[in-house]
Amino acid sequence: MAPPRNRRPGFSRRAQYGRFIGYVGAAGGALFGAVLLLLSTFNPPAFAAVRSVFSEITTPVASGFHWVRRSLSGIPDGIGSYFAVHGENARLKKQLAKDALTVSRAQTLEQENRRLRELVKLRDVTTDAIVAARLVNSSSSSTRRYATLNAGAWQGVKRGQPVRDPSGLIGQVIETSPNSARVLLLVDPESIVPVRRVRDGLPAIVSGRGDGLLDIRSASVSTMGFRVGDVFVTSGTGGVFSPNIVVGRVIRTQGDIAVAQPAANPDGLDFALVQQTFLPEPTPTPAPSPSPTAQPRATP
């Protein structure tokens, strides 16, 4: 036979003990409350002492519950503060990156303006300047080294004219079109420039290596050693390059050959100055016209 669903507590010892303990607790609490009431009425000092004891006991517990409640209530604010700080941090990082880009652009513009001022100053003191033009590109990934100027025949640029900037020689124009010109750079293996050493006037020949450096060989019969730090300038020999344009500085020696660093690095330049050749091209002599020969008169 199945047991009834609603069983009275009397059938369970656990329920009976629980109810008994409840009754005892209620009676004890009521008795304790009555004692405290009587004590507060008839003996207030004793009640104050009891109250102090209970306050000392309950204060740490209340403080712990208050800390827990405050910590739990601060969790939403902490989460909100974290996301707010994270967003502010991201915004500040973005602003710093933007400011760094602005500073970099300003530095680039300042360097370009400085080079332009130097180029304008050079153009003002140079009597053979043709035009100041921008180097729009230069080949740096192969052994052949060329550059392109955004000025050509319409601006007076001609084949063979030197190209330089305030720091030194860059190269020579080899091709022209109406609004552009091709420049053979000084560091190209096909480039050959007569130079002289500044400290003693030693004549030499500079040729490109194709790797951004120059080879310098003595042009005199006597073999004179090169030294690191020797500076070479154009000599004017050949009539193409004006004298005293800085070409390069020796950085190491290899026997009777010196390896030099060019004074002007075309990969880092924006503008260049095209000059006339040192010696003007000779004017072609007109061919003499044949003298008319006397025709014999016809006899009647």
Side-chain angles (χ1 to χ4, degrees):
M1 181 177 179
R5 293 183 178 179
N6 298 325
R7 300 176 60 186
R8 292 182 301 170
F11 289 99
S12 173
R13 290 184 178 275
R14 182 177 297 177
Q16 292 176 357
Y17 290 153
R19 179 168 293 187
F20 174 75
I21 292 173
Y23 288 154
V24 171
L31 180 60
F32 185 71
V35 171
L36 290 179
L37 179 61
L38 293 175
L39 190 62
S40 64
T41 303
F42 296 103
N43 193 356
F47 177 74
V50 174
R51 185 174 56 190
S52 299
V53 171
F54 277 98
S55 177
E56 290 294 332
I57 296 175
T58 57
T59 297
V61 178
S63 299
F65 279 112
H66 176 70
W67 179 83
V68 172
R69 185 177 68 253
R70 186 176 58 186
S71 299
L72 292 177
S73 63
I75 290 176
D77 294 338
I79 294 175
S81 300
Y82 169 77
F83 284 106
V85 170
H86 183 73
E88 183 69 13
N89 189 24
R91 187 186 68 80
L92 290 176
K93 286 183 177 179
K94 185 177 180 179
Q95 184 66 32
L96 286 175
K98 184 178 179 180
D99 293 342
L101 182 60
T102 303
V103 171
S104 177
R105 289 176 178 174
Q107 291 176 346
T108 302
L109 288 176
E110 194 277 333
Q111 294 175 1
E112 182 174 333
N113 290 335
R114 177 175 53 82
R115 288 195 292 266
L116 281 175
R117 288 193 297 268
E118 293 176 352
L119 195 62
V120 169
K121 186 184 301 184
L122 176 64
R123 186 187 62 182
D124 292 339
V125 300
T126 302
T127 59
D128 56 355
I130 300 297
V131 66
R134 182 183 290 272
L135 285 167
V136 294
N137 63 57
S138 62
S139 60
S140 59
S141 59
S142 64
T143 56
R144 301 309 308 272
R145 302 300 305 274
Y146 299 100
T148 303
L149 285 172
N150 65 344
W154 287 355
Q155 290 77 29
V157 180
K158 297 180 181 179
R159 186 176 182 274
Q161 291 175 340
V163 180
R164 61 167 299 184
D165 83 327
S167 58
L169 186 65
I170 296 175
Q172 183 180 12
V173 177
I174 58 173
E175 294 178 6
T176 60
S177 58
N179 281 308
S180 64
R182 196 179 193 193
V183 179
L184 178 69
L185 298 179
L186 184 66
V187 294
D188 187 88
E190 297 295 327
S191 173
I192 297 177
V193 179
V195 296
R196 63 177 180 85
R197 189 160 55 186
V198 172
R199 62 184 174 90
D200 58 2
L202 173 71
I205 299 296
V206 168
S207 60
R209 293 167 54 96
D211 59 355
L213 299 177
L214 305 171
D215 280 339
I216 302 179
R217 295 174 173 83
S218 174
S220 63
V221 178
S222 60
T223 58
M224 300 181 65
F226 298 104
R227 293 190 304 197
V228 174
D230 284 344
V231 177
F232 286 83
V233 297
T234 54
S235 63
T237 304
V240 176
F241 303 99
S242 301
N244 301 322
I245 303 176
V246 183
V247 175
R249 180 186 298 270
V250 176
I251 58 175
R252 65 176 183 268
T253 59
Q254 298 175 352
D256 59 345
I257 299 176
V259 179
Q261 180 75 38
N265 180 16
D267 296 331
L269 298 178
D270 296 325
F271 294 89
L273 185 69
V274 182
Q275 291 181 314
Q276 295 178 358
T277 54
F278 178 46
L279 297 178
E281 296 180 359
T283 304
T285 303
S289 58
S291 58
T293 58
Q295 298 291 334
R297 292 183 178 180
T299 56

